[in-house]
Amino acid sequence: RWWRAVATLRAARLARSKAAILISARWRGYAARQRFLKTKSAAGVIERWWKSAFRERAERRAERNAACVISTSWRAFAAKKQHARLAANVIGKWYKSQLVSRQAAEDKLPELKLQDQAAIVIARHWR
């Protein structure tokens, strides 16, 4: 009959061992789920921070690009305006010089005609 007592003790020990294993497994599962939830929560915090940082960086870049576009447009407008003024000034000066040279040519025309006639007379005489 002592083997019955040993068998009963072994069965009780086995039951306690299974219970301890089950409790340990449940505890490890619970602890793993809690770690996973903390990790997931931390990942969400990090992801939100990165997204906001990226969004802010994109907004700053868009503002800089907008400022560059405005600045470039203004400089182009000012340069075109200055070029138009310069071109008008140059064309005006050229036109005035043409008028002056034409007027001078017209003023010298009788004198040139006289010189031409004198040259023709001299050339005829020498021939």
Side-chain angles (χ1 to χ4, degrees):
R1 300 193 172 173
W2 62 272
W3 63 87
R4 280 187 191 164
V6 170
T8 305
L9 285 175
R10 282 185 183 171
R13 193 180 314 149
L14 185 61
R16 277 193 309 252
S17 177
K18 283 185 179 181
I21 290 172
L22 182 64
I23 291 171
S24 176
R26 295 283 168 98
W27 176 255
R28 283 194 314 269
Y30 172 79
R33 282 190 297 279
Q34 293 303 311
R35 277 194 313 271
F36 172 75
L37 291 176
K38 281 184 182 180
T39 304
K40 185 177 174 184
S41 173
V45 169
I46 292 169
E47 185 177 353
R48 282 190 299 275
W49 181 85
W50 269 110
K51 283 183 179 180
S52 72
F54 183 76
R55 190 178 317 113
E56 288 173 9
R57 200 169 32 238
E59 288 171 359
R60 281 195 306 268
R61 188 178 305 126
E63 288 172 0
R64 276 195 310 267
N65 288 345
C68 287
V69 167
I70 291 169
S71 174
T72 303
S73 299
W74 176 254
R75 283 196 312 269
F77 170 76
K80 287 177 186 175
K81 193 172 180 181
Q82 183 181 7
H83 177 71
R85 245 186 278 132
L86 263 164
N89 192 11
V90 167
I91 291 171
K93 286 183 178 181
W94 175 82
Y95 184 71
K96 283 181 183 178
S97 73
Q98 292 297 316
L99 287 177
V100 167
S101 64
R102 188 176 296 149
Q103 186 67 34
E106 288 175 1
D107 288 348
K108 288 185 177 183
L109 192 60
E111 186 180 312
L112 288 175
K113 281 185 179 179
L114 191 63
Q115 286 177 356
D116 285 347
Q117 287 174 354
I120 290 172
V121 168
I122 292 172
R124 279 186 190 157
H125 184 66
W126 280 96
R127 287 189 194 158

